[in-house]
Amino acid sequence: MKQQPAGESKPKPSQTPKRDLPEGMHKLGESVTTEKKTWTLAPSTLTEVTPTGSAKGVPHGWRAAKMTWTLTNNAGEIQPLLDLFPTVRYGSMGRPAIGFTDTGIEGMPDTVSADPPRVKPGGTYTVTMGIAVPADAAGDPITITTRPKTLFGNTGDVAFFEGPFPGAPARKAVALHPSPAPETKKTLAFGEWNADQQLSIGDVRAEGTGDDGRPVYGGDLTVFNDATDGSGPPYTPMKTSVRVYYGDQLKEADLIGALVPTADETAFIAPQRAATHHFRFALPKGTKPGTATVEVTDLGTALATFEGKITDRSS
């Protein structure tokens, strides 16, 4: 009986490794080559750290971790270092994590400049990045999206990575599987999901008083990417914003700040993952609206409308 050459055996179906991430996503610790094969990106897993007195950007009580990115120049010429511009989210709702710097954690360098760092052919460049999350997010998945930039603009190479934040889970992990409301329902309640756009507005709550004495409120916009893999469109960029109205006459409230990263086309959402961003708005002094109506927009075009009761923060 002729023996099959070594290295050519194929695993039986039962031996085929089972992916625990959607197709097109990569575990932290795996390397990815850009579409033109000019760069290889190798992110490490996360290691928890204790911030020093030099740390900048870690909110009080949050947990901190670091990771390294090793970028290898596969081209036959010197190249300016890529700007990875990573978007980092944590948990099933995809809330934004915070980057920080510290001694030995320099963060991403300024590469889109007249004199960026350069890497020789076959050479590597290593960057250490700090990531902070709330204290109860230990063990939560950390999802990182990169879309590298050069001096000439975006490269188009979107990549998705995911791995756990160090530490035992402080809360039970909850997978997000949105159940859209009927398409015939034109105005949705807070917490319901729009069937077409796969987005939702969470509870709107009182958040105190602004410096000008006006009452301030806040809510969450969550967008879900229902694509089954990351091999191509539809990627779901988080480029939406909101308009908030109050009273029977739907007077428009004043938004406070920008819904980051509303206009940032690099903020793509991984397949079968969500992204959540917090918005805040102020109302005239003495106003007690009771309810709020939130219109979600995409570059000014209305996508969905939500309405609900404003919850007092003490309840």
Side-chain angles (χ1 to χ4, degrees):
M1 177 175 162
K2 186 177 180 181
Q3 198 171 25
Q4 191 174 22
E8 293 187 8
S9 61
K10 294 183 179 180
K12 297 178 181 179
S14 60
Q15 297 175 319
T16 303
K18 182 180 179 181
R19 288 187 60 86
D20 54 4
L21 292 176
E23 194 70 32
M25 291 186 69
H26 308 276
K27 292 181 180 180
L28 289 178
E30 297 179 349
S31 62
V32 172
T33 302
T34 57
E35 292 171 10
K36 294 183 179 180
K37 303 187 184 303
T38 53
W39 288 93
T40 297
L41 317 179
S44 73
T45 56
L46 289 158
T47 302
E48 190 162 16
V49 296
T50 300
T52 71
S54 301
K56 296 180 180 179
V58 183
H60 178 71
W62 282 39
R63 302 177 74 123
K66 68 177 181 179
M67 64 179 297
T68 59
W69 289 84
T70 302
L71 285 71
T72 303
N73 177 9
N74 301 322
E77 60 186 6
I78 295 173
Q79 290 202 96
L81 186 66
L82 283 177
D83 181 0
L84 290 180
F85 201 78
T87 300
V88 185
R89 304 184 176 102
Y90 71 90
S92 61
M93 297 296 286
R95 300 184 186 279
I98 293 179
F100 72 92
T101 59
D102 200 351
T103 303
I105 304 176
E106 68 275 19
M108 295 294 170
D110 181 11
T111 61
V112 185
S113 65
D115 189 23
R118 296 175 177 84
V119 184
K120 65 183 179 181
T124 61
Y125 192 101
T126 301
V127 177
T128 303
M129 175 182 173
I131 295 173
V133 299
D136 63 354
D140 275 7
I142 299 296
T143 308
I144 302 177
T145 301
T146 63
R147 192 183 191 194
K149 292 182 178 180
T150 68
L151 284 170
F152 308 104
N154 294 325
T155 65
D157 301 320
V158 179
F160 305 108
F161 300 90
E162 191 169 277
F165 194 90
R171 57 188 171 192
K172 185 178 180 181
V174 178
L176 184 65
H177 298 290
S179 298
E183 294 187 17
T184 54
K185 191 173 183 180
K186 301 303 181 184
T187 300
L188 305 181
F190 292 158
E192 290 186 315
W193 284 84
N194 176 271
D196 183 39
Q197 302 294 331
Q198 290 286 294
L199 52 83
S200 181
I201 294 292
D203 290 340
V204 174
R205 306 179 68 89
E207 293 189 351
T209 304
D211 294 338
D212 57 3
R214 294 187 300 171
V216 174
Y217 304 86
D220 289 326
L221 165 64
T222 302
V223 181
F224 182 75
N225 182 4
D226 60 359
T228 56
D229 62 56
S231 61
Y235 291 134
T236 304
M238 184 72 174
K239 58 182 179 180
T240 48
S241 188
V242 297
R243 301 188 188 105
V244 182
Y245 303 91
Y246 65 97
D248 294 336
Q249 297 181 351
L250 296 181
K251 295 183 179 180
E252 188 167 0
D254 293 333
L255 286 179
I256 301 175
L259 186 60
V260 179
T262 53
D264 192 340
E265 63 181 357
T266 66
F268 283 68
I269 304 172
Q272 296 298 303
R273 297 295 185 267
T276 296
H277 289 283
H278 191 66
F279 61 90
R280 302 172 72 234
F281 61 94
L283 298 182
K285 294 180 182 179
T287 302
K288 296 182 179 180
T291 62
T293 302
V294 181
E295 187 177 56
V296 183
T297 66
D298 180 355
L299 302 180
T301 300
L303 298 179
T305 304
F306 297 83
E307 187 176 69
K309 181 180 178 181
I310 294 179
T311 306
D312 187 87
R313 58 181 173 163
S314 62
S315 62

